[in-house]
Amino acid sequence: MMMSRNEKRHDYRNSSRNNHQDCQYLTNRSQHLSTSRINIDRQALSINQRRCSETYDLKDKREQSGYCFGILIILSYLLVIVTFPLSLCFCLKVVQEYERAVIFRLGRILANGARGPGLFFILPCVDTYSKVDLRTVTFDVPPQEILTKDSVTVAVDAVVYFRIFNAVISITNVEDAAKSTKLLAATTLRNVLGTKTLHEILAERDKIDTVIQTGLDEATDPWGVKVERVEVKDVRLPVALQKAMAAEAEASRDARAKIIAAEGEMKASRSLKIAADTINESPIAMQLRYLQTLTQIAAERNSTIVFPIPIELMQMVPHSRR
């Protein structure tokens, strides 16, 4: 009995030790994994920082490389100092809140990018700058002659809203961002509507606007242009097609009118049959209906002379024929 108790205690101690060792192993493993992940993140961050620093160092070295470059800048500063304060009229420039100035120094863009809004400084005879408007610009796409999927020629025009979100890219990556966007909008409009039928163009304008806006935005993103909205304004059809569609619509309306009139006559005949059966069940009802008809005639047409005939006489006419 004592041996069994000791064995149980020994097993319990071993199991507790094993559990403690397992917990320590798991905690060490998790700490190791967390530290390894942190090290990996730090290495990636250091690599990115190194790349960024290398690019900026390359830019700075590229801008500062060359003796001629440095000499011209020094001469420009000397010119500013010698002609001070008259040189301030040529060195200080102002851009509005909605504008940015991209400065070129001897043909190279400065490392800090665009300047503005407000006051900025340029060196005479060395720096040139270009103003970029960041406001939303609206333009009309000229009417485009488009052959639809079902072989119908239509003229479609649209309006596009876009703005420049990166002044430096809009200057360096494309010659004229606004003109390029306009030409691309016209081309995209033709390509998208060429895959649609006439019914889809007339009924699904919202979807077409979204497709055109997405395509333009993806294409103009490397130019620093953000296309905010595209709206198809008008779809003009040929005159012959308009007449054919009008004739088709008129014929369909006439057909529906005839069907409605026929259904009304059928329902009226059924109601009259039911009324005749009801009147036939009671002879007095026929006489009351006759008197009601006389009252209506007398109220509407006072000059009309009515000669009443006894209903019993009318009922005897068929018997005499027999």
Side-chain angles (χ1 to χ4, degrees):
M1 188 71 180
M2 293 295 293
M3 291 296 292
S4 63
R5 289 182 179 177
N6 292 328
E7 288 177 357
K8 289 181 180 179
R9 290 178 182 176
H10 183 70
D11 294 337
Y12 177 74
R13 290 175 181 176
N14 290 331
S15 62
S16 63
R17 288 176 183 175
N18 292 329
N19 292 330
H20 183 67
Q21 290 177 359
D22 293 337
C23 292
Q24 286 183 350
Y25 175 76
L26 291 174
T27 54
N28 293 329
R29 182 64 177 171
S30 62
Q31 289 178 358
H32 178 70
L33 291 174
S34 61
T35 53
S36 62
R37 289 177 182 175
I38 292 170
N39 292 327
I40 291 171
D41 295 337
R42 287 179 179 176
Q43 289 178 0
L45 182 61
S46 63
I47 290 170
N48 292 329
Q49 290 179 353
R50 193 181 304 165
R51 289 179 180 177
C52 294
S53 63
E54 287 177 357
T55 54
Y56 283 116
D57 292 339
L58 288 174
K59 285 183 179 180
D60 294 337
K61 290 179 182 178
R62 186 188 65 183
E63 290 180 357
Q64 296 176 1
S65 62
Y67 295 103
C68 184
F69 188 86
I71 291 170
L72 291 176
I73 291 176
I74 293 171
L75 291 176
S76 299
Y77 277 110
L78 290 176
L79 181 62
V80 171
I81 295 171
V82 170
T83 58
F84 187 83
L86 184 63
S87 60
L88 295 178
C89 299
F90 301 95
C91 296
L92 296 179
K93 302 294 181 182
V94 178
V95 291
Q96 303 296 328
E97 181 68 28
Y98 52 84
E99 292 178 337
R100 296 294 182 270
V102 181
I103 302 175
F104 294 87
R105 180 162 293 174
L106 294 177
R108 298 174 180 175
I109 296 178
L110 296 183
N112 294 329
R115 301 292 195 276
L119 189 68
F120 64 96
F121 180 83
I122 63 171
L123 291 175
C125 305
V126 176
D127 292 347
T128 58
Y129 70 97
S130 299
K131 287 184 180 181
V132 179
D133 195 341
L134 302 183
R135 292 176 294 181
T136 300
V137 181
T138 306
F139 70 90
D140 292 328
V141 179
Q144 304 292 317
E145 294 289 337
I146 298 169
L147 184 64
T148 61
K149 189 176 181 180
D150 50 353
S151 301
V152 178
T153 304
V154 294
V156 183
D157 57 352
V159 59
V160 180
Y161 301 85
F162 73 94
R163 61 180 175 85
I164 295 175
F165 67 90
N166 193 322
V168 178
I169 295 177
S170 65
I171 293 294
T172 56
N173 289 4
V174 64
E175 182 180 0
D176 191 347
K179 183 179 179 181
S180 301
T181 305
K182 292 178 182 179
L183 295 176
L184 184 62
T187 306
T188 306
L189 182 65
R190 294 175 65 90
N191 293 336
V192 172
L193 295 183
T195 59
K196 305 291 183 180
T197 61
L198 180 61
H199 178 72
E200 291 175 348
I201 293 174
L202 297 176
E204 300 178 358
R205 289 195 180 185
D206 294 337
K207 295 181 180 179
I208 293 172
D209 295 340
T210 304
V211 171
I212 296 174
Q213 188 266 336
T214 304
L216 282 176
D217 193 19
E218 292 177 356
T220 58
D221 188 68
W223 302 343
V225 176
K226 171 66 177 178
V227 179
E228 296 180 344
R229 192 178 182 86
V230 178
E231 292 288 342
V232 176
K233 288 201 307 182
D234 189 17
V235 179
R236 289 189 291 274
L237 304 175
V239 179
L241 183 59
Q242 292 179 6
K243 292 181 179 179
M245 292 177 68
E248 181 182 1
E250 185 178 0
S252 63
R253 286 194 297 268
D254 291 340
R256 288 196 299 269
K258 291 179 181 179
I259 292 172
I260 293 171
E263 291 178 354
E265 290 180 358
M266 181 177 64
K267 292 179 180 179
S269 62
R270 289 177 180 175
S271 300
L272 289 174
K273 180 180 180 298
I274 295 171
D277 294 337
T278 305
I279 292 173
N280 192 23
E281 293 176 358
S282 176
I284 301 174
M286 185 65 183
Q287 188 173 1
L288 292 175
R289 180 61 181 165
Y290 179 71
L291 294 175
Q292 185 180 3
T293 305
L294 293 179
T295 304
Q296 292 178 357
I297 294 173
E300 294 179 359
R301 299 177 183 180
N302 297 326
S303 61
T304 303
I305 300 173
V306 179
F307 295 96
I309 301 174
I311 297 175
E312 292 80 2
L313 183 60
M314 295 178 63
Q315 290 178 355
M316 293 173 62
V317 172
H319 295 289
S320 63
R321 287 181 180 178
R322 290 179 183 176

